[in-house]
Amino acid sequence: MKIHFVGLGGISMSGVARYFKAKGFAISGSDLRAGPLTSSLMREGIRIKIGMHVAANLPKDADLLIYNRAIPLDNPELVAARKRNVPLLPLAEALGRLTEMHKTIAITGSHGKSTTTALASILFMKAGLDPTIFIGTNLNELEGKNVRIGKSPWLVLEADDFGRAFLSYSPTVVIVTNIDREHLDFYKSFLALKASFLQFLSRTHEHGTLILNRDDEVLFSLRARVAVIAKKKHLHVVWYTLQDPATRKIKRALRIPGRHNLSNAIAVYRLGKILQIPQKKILAALGAYRGSWRRMEERGTIRMEKKTIRVFDDYAHHPTEIRATLQAFREKFPHAHLACVFQPHQTERLRLLFKEFADSFMLADSLTLLPAYRVAGRDMQNPKFTAEKLAQAIKRKYPRKDVRYLADPKQLKRALLVEMTDIAQSEAVVVMMGAGDIVNYTDSLLK
């Protein structure tokens, strides 16, 4: 069977494509832009067309087309498939069918789901449970990929809340890390977003388990409605918290900084206890995790006279994530100069959370803003809400803050080196932050 993927450069799409390729299917795909994921897939033997979507990208002998929710229904490749009676399947439904074939651990939340899924994945592997894994990042433990094909009934899945994708899934166990004002371009209101999370909880199999973050104010405010769902479906509900008696042991074992990561680890600890995995194995698994692709990922070092500059990539693109990530860097490098380079991701998110963004960089010693990354199929340019306008707003609110807007990212290395010559510290940390293509600028920064 031959499957064609439209938008194959996405992290979730690439994982599903790898899964079906491992199962013996012939895979092809297309994407507007080349990037690290498309390059990796091509090296694995998957044929990908890069550039504008056109009908000719669809192979003549395709049996199925899978697309993500960012792809409009009038996309030329989808139109061509309908004309040729090639079945169309949204990515969420493809994953949904796989969840029905497994005992699924679904991990969701507005923030922290990739790290929590990574911790849970390592736990399952270390415990010998041989899981299938789908995760929204690349893991060293998965040979630098985002999918693992296991032989057991277990599936560990990062459950995407964008586009209500997770409402296609049928989990046995659900972990929810938090609920925040995210993806409001799709949901339109925070009330609708919260309703979708509750609807997702109600999809848990009867006699299944919910592991929920008591410390998240929004999530805990829904406890009465959670109780109704749990009673109706006979679910076991566990509320985890930083006040957990095991927190000290978990913190000693953990090798990644930040309160948010400690909270994620406690969720996975509770999962391990529910599955009756020995505590020693749980703590060893948590301690084995060293981070993943674009999550506080150290990429390299720039050396100047009497100065060492360490460069990191991080995927944070929401004000809550930015604050938590900078707090973790402060914890890890308390005496270093902390320089943040941020590329806003999606103009509509910037508009909806503009005030929150203006207050989210306080822990950085300096901030360089790059032009916003526009998401294909989801974004319209808004001249009132740009990276340049954000830089101006931060400067007005915090006049002493070292903030600049850099219209040409090609000048980034030069600008950072000028900045570094003026700092007093001998150690500096540069955090390249955002969910767009800022990772490509990291490569040029380190050349």
Side-chain angles (χ1 to χ4, degrees):
M1 189 173 182
K2 298 175 178 63
I3 307 178
H4 183 70
F5 288 77
V6 181
L8 189 48
I11 188 72
S12 298
M13 289 283 278
S14 65
V16 175
R18 281 169 166 152
Y19 174 88
F20 282 113
K21 185 175 186 297
K23 292 291 185 179
F25 293 79
I27 305 300
S28 63
S30 63
D31 206 281
L32 289 174
R33 301 182 182 94
L37 281 171
T38 54
S39 298
S40 178
L41 292 170
M42 288 177 180
R43 287 194 297 270
E44 294 166 32
I46 295 177
R47 183 169 58 88
I48 306 174
K49 298 285 188 179
I50 301 297
M52 294 297 294
H53 292 289
V54 293
N57 288 345
L58 181 68
K60 294 180 180 180
D61 54 353
D63 297 301
L64 175 67
L65 184 150
I66 294 178
Y67 64 99
N68 66 37
R69 291 183 184 271
I71 302 298
L73 294 179
D74 61 355
N75 177 282
E77 294 173 46
L78 272 65
V79 172
R82 283 194 290 269
K83 285 181 179 178
R84 287 158 45 185
N85 294 318
V86 176
L88 305 178
L89 187 65
L91 172 66
E93 290 184 25
L95 278 169
R97 295 183 188 186
L98 293 178
T99 66
E100 294 168 2
M101 299 161 54
H102 292 83
K103 293 172 67 175
T104 299
I105 312 293
I107 298 164
T108 194
S110 299
H111 319 294
K113 50 185 174 283
S114 291
T115 297
T116 308
T117 305
L119 291 166
S121 299
I122 294 169
L123 172 63
F124 271 63
M125 290 189 289
K126 295 283 187 185
L129 297 175
D130 194 16
T132 294
I133 297 166
F134 286 98
I135 184 171
T137 186
N138 295 330
L139 279 185
N140 291 331
E141 291 81 3
L142 304 183
E143 299 178 348
K145 297 180 182 178
N146 54 351
V147 66
R148 180 185 190 273
I149 316 299
K151 295 179 181 178
S152 80
W154 290 107
L155 168 62
V156 179
L157 171 69
E158 179 175 337
D160 190 5
D161 53 315
F162 172 66
R164 298 189 178 91
F166 56 6
L167 298 187
S168 296
Y169 307 157
S170 300
T172 302
V173 178
V174 169
I175 295 176
V176 184
T177 58
N178 44 58
I179 301 176
D180 202 351
R181 296 176 64 228
E182 174 66 312
H183 303 312
L184 294 183
D185 60 310
F186 174 82
Y187 284 103
K188 306 304 179 187
S189 74
F190 198 21
L191 186 65
L193 186 149
K194 289 186 283 187
S196 286
F197 271 88
L198 288 167
Q199 193 176 348
F200 174 57
L201 297 183
S202 70
R203 293 188 58 81
T204 310
H205 291 176
E206 285 204 9
H207 304 286
T209 300
L210 306 179
I211 303 173
L212 311 174
N213 186 0
R214 184 187 181 95
D215 298 331
D216 184 70
E217 184 178 340
V218 176
L219 181 55
F220 192 58
S221 73
L222 301 175
R223 60 192 178 278
R225 297 177 69 180
V226 170
V228 172
I229 294 169
K231 184 177 181 181
K232 184 178 180 181
K233 302 203 73 173
H234 311 287
L235 304 177
H236 176 47
V237 181
V238 175
W239 289 96
Y240 69 92
T241 172
L242 286 165
Q243 308 306 316
D244 192 298
T247 296
R248 286 188 178 182
K249 291 180 181 179
I250 296 168
K251 189 172 184 178
R252 282 199 298 269
L254 207 58
R255 294 291 178 267
I256 50 175
R259 283 173 60 86
H260 62 302
N261 284 326
L262 178 58
S263 178
N264 297 335
I266 293 169
V268 174
Y269 178 87
R270 284 292 138 212
L271 171 65
K273 297 296 283 186
I274 288 165
L275 298 177
Q276 299 183 335
I277 298 172
Q279 179 174 273
K280 189 175 181 180
K281 283 191 175 182
I282 299 173
L283 295 174
L286 297 177
Y289 180 59
R290 296 294 189 274
S292 57
W293 183 58
R294 299 183 74 177
R295 270 70 176 180
M296 294 186 73
E297 178 192 12
E298 186 161 10
R299 291 292 309 280
T301 301
I302 301 172
R303 299 199 181 277
M304 297 175 64
E305 186 179 353
K306 298 181 181 179
K307 285 187 174 69
T308 300
I309 306 164
R310 300 171 72 168
V311 181
F312 290 78
D313 273 330
D314 196 90
Y315 195 72
H317 56 282
H318 184 283
T320 301
E321 297 167 352
I322 293 166
R323 286 191 294 269
T325 300
L326 292 177
Q327 183 270 327
F329 273 104
R330 273 285 173 228
E331 182 181 315
K332 188 170 183 176
F333 302 103
H335 305 298
H337 175 88
L338 181 55
C340 181
V341 180
F342 181 64
Q343 178 194 52
H345 183 262
Q346 195 199 19
T347 305
E348 184 65 2
R349 180 185 286 111
L350 187 58
R351 182 186 74 82
L352 291 167
L353 301 173
F354 195 82
K355 291 181 180 178
E356 290 86 345
F357 274 112
D359 291 323
S360 58
F361 297 96
M362 293 306 297
L363 290 175
D365 293 310
S366 66
L367 171 63
T368 301
L369 287 160
L370 304 180
Y373 179 85
R374 293 177 61 189
V375 182
R378 286 180 61 190
D379 222 350
M380 296 291 288
Q381 193 165 3
N382 188 328
K384 293 183 180 179
F385 299 95
T386 65
E388 186 174 15
K389 296 289 187 184
L390 179 60
Q392 293 168 0
I394 296 172
K395 200 67 180 174
R396 282 195 302 270
K397 193 168 185 179
Y398 306 102
R400 295 184 179 180
K401 195 76 177 169
D402 184 6
V403 181
R404 67 189 62 83
Y405 170 70
L406 193 64
D408 182 5
K410 292 179 181 178
Q411 300 299 317
L412 178 61
K413 185 170 185 176
R414 183 179 178 181
L416 283 175
L417 292 180
V418 169
E419 175 188 335
M420 294 304 160
T421 59
D422 296 331
I423 66 171
Q425 297 98 315
S426 60
E427 183 183 21
V429 171
V430 174
V431 186
M432 301 288 287
M433 186 179 283
D437 61 0
I438 189 171
V439 65
N440 298 333
Y441 303 134
T442 307
D443 293 335
S444 60
L445 183 63
L446 290 168
K447 283 182 181 177

